[in-house]
Amino acid sequence: MQTSLALVFSGALVLTACNPYRPGTMEPTTPNGAVRTTGCIDVAIDRVEDYQAVGFATELRMGNRCDAPVMVDLGQIRATMRHGDGRVSAMQVYDPDLELRPALLDARARGREVLEYQPIRPGVTPGPNAELCLDIAEIDRGEPSSLPIVACTPLGYIEPVASPTSPSLPTTRAVENAQ
Amino acid sequence: MIIRLSASVLAACLMLWPAHAFPCDADGGDDSSSIDFDGDDSSDSGPSCTETTEIHGRAECRSFGQWDASRYPRVRVGVGSSVSLFPMAGLSFKGEAEHDGKMAYRLDTDSGDSDAVATALDVRLTMMAGRYGYIGSNLSVGAVLLPNLQTKAATGLDVDTTSGTYVAATALAGAGFSMGPLMIRGEAHVGRRFIIVGVETSHEECLETSSVQAGQWMVRPQVAMEAWLTPWMTAGASLSTDVLRDRDVAGGIFIELHSRAFDGLRSRR
């Protein structure tokens, strides 16, 4: 058992040592995803389908451009739903056990989380042309941006009769940075 | 063989480089199988836990921030190869052969020509202590080319040496300072090395093989220079001497893996 753990650790260390993150190489995994940079952090944002999501599951992949470790606080992401008629609804991350915390992304390392965003006000559903917008300006605690750094992805229109526990996530279209 | 082993580690890394270079960036695929501490490390999940979602707060087999580097201690694991030249003066190997009862013998080093040469595979583990300091241990195992040994044995007992094995274990403490892509280290080793001599004894028609060993204490200052090959890997060379004996020197080459990029010492831009 100890030998296996040592092998796994050593293997992971060797493979990690061979694979540092290179600045600017982050790419979205979906056609409608987006990549934004704040401070030392490149962030790829993609909506993902997940049948367990009540809200909107979003994959965040981060890469540290710098040779120094960076404290990343995903709790600082400001999420909003922008409706097609111009209204804006505040969203919150699903974090039932309050586990979201600042964490250290090592120099030239990668990180990944899948976060689910839900409307703060119950009953808010995305209308036609609604978008989920994430402002990542302040996730790099060492170098927060004073300007918003926003990526938006369309949410599509959910029919009122749809199950409230499993909203369908229609195919998204590309939306450019709203900054 | 030792050098070949060390080289194979580097070769494996170089071979993996193109295959693993930015898998999550190049193909847009899930990087959960990569090794970038991205939170999908299956080794963290017990065998009975089956994950059905990756969503934070809903996933059952993983917790938030598995990429958090502060979870990992700052350790270095190194492998290398070294050559040591050291005097064996004063070492005495005492043994007993079983031929019609116990027959004692002794191997003594020649005071005029007592230098031995050992080539060894070195494995070391160090942990950072403070910003620049570190402590750890080093283990060296290899073969030793023995000098002439004078044999003193019971009457009728012939003694031949067949092999020499070198084992050294030290505790170490030191400090390292980075200068751009290079790092200079100074450290002190305290420990003991053992010379194990394979012996073949014969008495009349009886032939027996056995081994005898002797040990020396070591107090060795060592300097090393290494270069960062990647944020988590360095390669370098070292030189050391022993303050307890004259003409006791060693040199080696090594590769080290670091659990934290640049040992976590570099600051932003």
Side-chain angles (χ1 to χ4, degrees):
Chain A
M1 181 64 180
Q2 286 183 337
T3 303
S4 301
L5 286 174
L7 285 174
V8 168
F9 179 76
S10 302
L13 204 53
V14 168
L15 293 175
T16 302
C18 298
N19 188 22
Y21 174 70
R22 297 293 174 89
T25 57
M26 187 69 75
E27 292 180 359
T29 57
T30 63
N32 302 315
V35 175
R36 300 290 181 266
T37 298
T38 176
C40 284
I41 308 299
D42 291 339
V43 185
I45 300 168
D46 291 280
R47 289 278 311 288
V48 292
E49 303 272 358
D50 192 309
Y51 75 95
Q52 290 200 29
V54 174
F56 305 97
T58 304
E59 177 190 54
L60 300 167
R61 288 177 300 117
M62 300 153 284
N64 186 348
R65 307 167 63 92
C66 299
D67 285 346
V70 171
M71 192 61 79
V72 176
D73 189 353
L74 296 181
Q76 292 298 316
I77 294 177
R78 294 176 184 169
T80 52
M81 184 191 296
R82 293 182 184 173
H83 299 272
D85 58 7
R87 287 180 300 121
V88 175
S89 302
M91 306 282 279
Q92 63 184 356
V93 68
Y94 179 69
D95 185 24
D97 299 322
L98 302 178
E99 295 175 291
L100 224 56
R101 55 178 167 74
L104 196 66
L105 184 60
D106 206 1
R108 310 291 292 280
R110 298 179 179 84
R112 177 176 178 270
E113 295 291 342
V114 178
L115 302 180
E116 177 185 330
Y117 288 94
Q118 301 173 344
I120 291 178
R121 272 181 45 210
V124 174
T125 55
N129 301 321
E131 298 172 331
L132 173 66
C133 297
L134 303 183
D135 179 359
I136 63 164
E138 296 183 16
I139 67 169
D140 182 348
R141 302 240 311 204
E143 198 174 311
S145 169
S146 57
L147 297 174
I149 300 175
V150 181
C152 295
T153 53
L155 294 176
Y157 178 66
I158 297 180
E159 295 290 337
V161 294
S163 166
T165 58
S166 57
S168 62
L169 299 177
T171 303
T172 54
R173 62 174 174 78
V175 171
E176 281 307 306
N177 192 351
Q179 64 180 311
Chain B
M1 186 192 91
I2 295 166
I3 294 175
R4 197 177 302 161
L5 180 62
S6 304
S8 65
V9 173
L10 181 60
C13 181
L14 294 175
M15 287 192 327
L16 286 165
W17 185 289
H20 288 266
F22 332 120
C24 57
D25 307 315
D27 60 16
D30 182 4
D31 56 358
S32 61
S33 61
S34 67
I35 33 55
D36 47 17
F37 302 141
D38 59 5
D40 281 352
D41 184 355
S42 59
S43 64
D44 281 0
S45 53
S48 61
C49 184
T50 303
E51 196 70 277
T52 56
T53 179
E54 294 185 294
I55 295 175
H56 165 68
R58 300 192 188 280
E60 296 179 354
C61 307
R62 59 186 291 274
S63 57
F64 173 78
Q66 303 223 339
W67 43 272
D68 184 357
S70 63
R71 298 168 66 225
Y72 307 105
R74 292 191 297 160
V75 296
R76 305 167 181 163
V77 180
V79 61
S81 138
S82 63
V83 177
S84 303
L85 173 68
F86 59 97
M88 289 176 57
L91 282 185
S92 184
F93 300 86
K94 297 175 183 176
E96 286 185 333
E98 289 282 350
H99 301 286
D100 299 334
K102 292 185 177 178
M103 304 179 77
Y105 65 88
R106 197 173 80 193
L107 304 173
D108 290 322
T109 51
D110 186 338
S111 59
D113 176 20
S114 66
D115 288 350
V117 178
T119 56
L121 170 69
D122 307 316
V123 180
R124 55 184 274 148
L125 174 66
T126 55
M127 176 176 289
M128 299 292 285
R131 183 162 175 80
Y132 300 108
Y134 57 87
I135 57 173
S137 59
N138 187 93
L139 176 67
S140 301
V141 179
V144 60
L145 188 61
L146 297 167
N148 289 327
L149 297 176
Q150 295 179 337
T151 306
K152 294 177 181 174
T155 305
L157 180 68
D158 290 326
V159 180
D160 291 318
T161 59
T162 56
S163 64
T165 302
Y166 178 90
V167 178
T170 59
L172 64 93
F177 302 93
S178 286
M179 297 183 304
L182 299 178
M183 182 162 66
I184 291 180
R185 291 198 325 237
E187 59 195 36
H189 293 237
V190 176
R192 196 162 166 83
R193 71 174 155 221
F194 299 91
I195 312 301
I196 302 161
V197 178
V199 172
E200 190 175 84
T201 58
S202 59
H203 175 64
E204 297 177 348
E205 298 299 314
C206 176
L207 192 67
E208 185 192 76
T209 58
S210 60
S211 64
V212 288
Q213 70 174 50
Q216 286 179 325
W217 285 100
M218 299 188 299
V219 178
R220 307 182 70 87
Q222 176 171 298
V223 293
M225 176 169 283
E226 53 195 305
W228 290 99
L229 302 180
T230 78
W232 294 275
M233 178 183 283
T234 54
S238 65
L239 282 174
S240 67
T241 185
D242 197 309
V243 299
L244 302 180
R245 282 169 293 276
D246 292 334
R247 305 191 323 276
D248 190 331
V249 294
I253 56 174
F254 58 86
I255 292 173
E256 276 200 322
L257 297 176
H258 304 244
S259 67
R260 291 283 307 279
F262 303 113
D263 284 337
L265 293 179
R266 296 198 177 179
S267 49
R268 291 175 83 112
R269 284 191 262 271

